[in-house]
Amino acid sequence: MPHSPGQEQTTVVDLPAGRLRGATERGVAVFRAVPYAAPPVGDLRWRPARPHAGWSGTRDATADGPSAPQMYVEGGDPVLGGHGSPPFDEDCLTLNVWTPAADGARRPVLVWIHGGGFVSGSGSLPGYSGETFARDGDLVVVSINYRIGPLGYLYTGEEGEEGEGGNPWLSDQLAALRWVKENIASFGGDPDLITVAGQSGGAVSTAALAGHPETQGLIRRVILQSPPFGLDLPAPDAYLERTAAYLELAGAKDLAELRTLPWQELIGAAGGLFARTMRWGYWPTPFLPVIDGVTLGTHPAQALLNGAAVGIDVMIGWTREEANFGFALDEGYAAATREQVTDRIAETFGSEAAAEVYAAYERARPGARPADVLMDLITDELFRVPAVRLAEARAAAGHPVWAYQFDLPTPAYEGRLGAAHCLELPFVFDNFDQWAHAPFLAGLAPAVRDGLAYAMHRAWISFVRTGDPNHPDLPHWQPYDTGRRTTMRFDSVVTALDDLAGASRLLHGPARTSAHTTAPLT
């Protein structure tokens, strides 16, 4: 639900756009629903973010604003318990700021970009509150709302008068980052010491920003949590097939007509595109970034290997059983047969190698059912192997990264979820009280939970502050290199291991493509 906290006192800052009145909550100053760009409504729907005109008088910033329009189911989902709740509105380009004090201390800045499969989420979710990072790390924390689903990721094919291209979501995030650079000093932050962090789709965003020509010199560090770098992102021609299907689903003959529809109808039509793009054994992704050559020139994972992004400090990690998030509780997948899974493997490895690859996955998980083999395959294709390849490439070029794997399984649902996608989030933020609604945390032993959260939360703080995640209560963590391939394993016992993902790395090989990790339009 939107946050409207009991305030201890108010805090005021003066910005070029106008005066803001925030609140002090539990010793941390918070400014909510701060506009960083003009409302993307009317003719600005699917246009790049435009500057905000500012305001007169003192703007109240003590309560959350609307989140980006998205599909919503009352009661949430069985894993997270929901990932975004009303109110929703197209006028959503706002951000939240947490700071120990709006002074001149020039603290390191952490900008958080939420994930959600490009279709859900909000920077105002209680679990993404920057309060713990601000208090425990003496950081200034910013979380952002940006356009998602059809309003943020639909490729319209319009070049516009200025060759605007696609990816409205990216234009929003670029505008937010520029806002942070220009304004964060007023909140006690250092505009020259910005770390951008994101999870899942938000990690794809983080990489895209780090490699973008407009951010040169803006970003010092990035944290990539579970980036699905195995996604094969479409070029314009391929995406326009999805756009045509979406127009049909929305009942619009062209983009001009689509612009007249209320956003509720646009979100409703998105459900149909889920069905059109869904294919057995693939993570559903009806909306994706588009490699349009205008706003996004290359795959975000590649962007971290060249140009200005080369000198950025990078931390990257994944969970041991990423794909269990989407597949482990599905009864249809639980009944998968060996033949079905072998056929799915063949789509990536070829029919001649499929049986051998199945056997390799089976050996790696004694007692594995076909569904377990499938989930491990998807985890490797979409998350683990592409992350390792990025670490390998940067290390080979002399720009190593800090790599980790989150291994602690949840006992929820008789352990079927394992160490699933998203499970590391409450540990990183160390704010389990804000995740009480999430079913996937049920049954975790408090002592184990809290000890691991302390280790991870402090490692993230250390990285944001110094570019090195080591701290006195963490085993020594070396950067990933092509010799030892050190990877930190976050489990009930935290351990630095050499080549933790070696079996997956060798099985998939350096040259195997990711062309089959996005299901085609059907």
Side-chain angles (χ1 to χ4, degrees), residues 2 33 59 63-70 85-96 121-124 144-146 263:
R59 183 184 180 96
D64 290 331
S67 296
Q70 57 195 272
S85 57
F88 303 122
D89 198 274
E90 279 190 88
D91 183 2
C92 64
L93 300 188
T94 61
L95 51 79
N96 302 325
S122 171
S124 302
I144 67 172
N145 288 330
Y146 58 96
W263 65 256

Side-chain angles (χ1 to χ4, degrees), residues 9-90:
Q9 63 187 65
T10 60
T11 303
V12 174
V13 296
D14 288 305
L15 306 176
R19 174 170 286 191
L20 279 178
R21 182 178 65 249
T24 299
E25 304 168 13
R26 295 171 292 276
V28 174
V30 188
F31 300 83
R32 301 179 183 276
V34 182
Y36 66 82
V41 300
D43 288 343
L44 295 185
R45 186 184 273 180
W46 294 302
R47 299 290 190 196
R50 300 288 199 264
H52 194 274
W55 55 90
S56 59
T58 301
R59 183 184 180 96
D60 182 77
T62 60
D64 290 331
S67 296
Q70 57 195 272
M71 289 181 282
Y72 175 71
V73 178
E74 192 73 43
D77 65 88
V79 181
L80 292 178
H83 195 240
S85 57
F88 303 122
D89 198 274
E90 279 190 88

Side-chain angles (χ1 to χ4, degrees), residues 244-331:
Y246 180 78
L247 282 166
E248 178 188 334
L249 290 162
K253 67 178 184 296
D254 55 26
L255 188 64
E257 189 173 333
L258 202 61
R259 271 204 167 88
T260 68
L261 298 181
W263 65 256
Q264 292 88 345
E265 292 187 30
L266 300 181
I267 298 301
L273 199 59
F274 261 102
R276 293 275 188 103
T277 57
M278 194 170 289
R279 185 176 169 196
W280 194 89
Y282 293 87
W283 201 295
T285 51
F287 299 100
L288 290 163
V290 57
I291 309 296
D292 62 358
V294 179
T295 61
L296 193 60
T298 187
H299 195 294
Q302 292 298 313
L304 286 167
L305 301 178
N306 303 294
V310 167
I312 291 174
D313 298 324
V314 178
M315 182 197 294
I316 190 169
W318 54 90
T319 72
R320 188 177 61 200
E321 287 110 359
E322 297 271 10
N324 290 33
F325 176 95
F327 299 89
L329 303 183
D330 186 302
E331 295 305 321

Side-chain angles (χ1 to χ4, degrees), residues 28 97-99 110 123 125-136 139-143 429 431 457:
V28 174
V97 182
W98 291 263
T99 179
L110 172 62
L125 285 168
Y128 298 149
S129 166
E131 181 184 319
T132 50
F133 276 112
R135 178 185 299 111
D136 301 336
L139 306 175
V140 177
V141 184
V142 180
S143 69
F429 281 84
N431 61 348
H457 184 58

